[in-house]
Amino acid sequence: MDDTQKKLQQIRHSLAHLMVKAAKSLWPGTCNAIGPAIDDGFYQDFDFGTHVISERDLPKLEKRMREILKTWGPFKEWEVSAAEARTMFADNPYKLELIDDLHAHDQKITVNDPGNFLDLCKGGHSENPKKDMEHFKLTHVAGAYWRGDEKKKMLTRIYGTAFFTKQELE
């Protein structure tokens, strides 16, 4: 992956975090699971509890993302212990499961904060969110089983895409 592709992946991954912050502000009690960058954009898996999200909710969510983005600075990332992480994410069973897995495999546990929003993440973020992350669009909603296991809970997956310029996005 060249530097340009790497930067685009970092922007897309950072937008997944922004989507979490926006969703949690619109629908309190929402738990986020994972949110990677993918070849043509990004997604984030959510447990919205009793609230059902549909594609009609995407403009509202996208608008909230744009409002929050104005307040975001560079992502600060740091390593924490498993005990610290469990305390930080005590209200999110998906993050607790990930923390336990990382700890069991002696892997580093890191958190990040781009501006009044803490999330568990291995890193790779936009260096200048306000500038880099402005050309995005949420595209659709789907279902996804937690960790791809049909015996686990069905989560709501929200997809988006992002590019460097408005022209590329269109």
Side-chain angles (χ1 to χ4, degrees), residues 11-168:
I11 290 168
R12 289 172 171 171
H13 174 71
S14 299
L15 280 158
H17 288 292
L18 179 62
M19 186 179 357
V20 173
K21 172 69 172 171
K24 286 178 172 262
S25 75
L26 291 170
W27 301 286
T30 294
C31 290
N32 61 307
I34 59 168
I38 54 178
D39 286 343
D40 58 352
F42 60 96
Y43 70 80
Q44 180 68 53
D45 289 345
F46 293 99
D47 181 344
F48 286 102
T50 59
H51 189 82
V52 177
I53 297 295
S54 73
E55 291 182 10
R56 290 181 302 230
D57 294 300
L58 296 184
K60 178 179 173 179
L61 181 56
E62 191 174 305
K63 179 181 177 194
R64 185 68 183 121
M65 289 172 69
R66 292 185 189 287
E67 291 166 356
I68 294 168
L69 181 58
K70 295 173 188 172
T71 68
W72 276 23
F75 281 75
K76 297 176 187 115
E77 300 172 10
W78 65 99
E79 189 173 344
V80 295
S81 70
E84 289 171 308
R86 282 189 199 98
T87 299
M88 292 172 175
F89 299 99
D91 63 343
N92 186 325
Y94 307 100
K95 296 297 182 183
L96 292 175
E97 186 176 322
L98 293 171
I99 291 162
D100 289 344
D101 286 353
L102 290 168
H103 182 67
H105 293 96
D106 290 325
Q107 293 181 318
K108 184 167 63 167
I109 299 171
T110 55
V111 295
N112 70 70
D113 182 355
N116 198 26
F117 178 65
L118 188 66
D119 206 356
L120 180 73
C121 185
K122 64 182 175 182
H125 299 104
S126 166
E127 293 179 15
N128 188 352
K130 290 177 201 169
K131 179 179 174 277
D132 294 344
M133 295 167 49
E134 62 185 335
H135 305 294
F136 71 92
K137 176 146 186 67
L138 300 182
T139 58
H140 61 287
V141 176
Y145 291 109
W146 169 232
R147 300 188 114 175
D149 184 342
E150 64 192 32
K151 294 180 176 120
K152 294 190 177 185
K153 185 165 183 161
M154 174 69 75
L155 302 176
T156 302
R157 180 171 287 178
I158 300 177
Y159 287 92
T161 193
F163 294 91
F164 292 116
T165 67
K166 183 177 180 179
Q167 293 75 23
E168 290 173 305

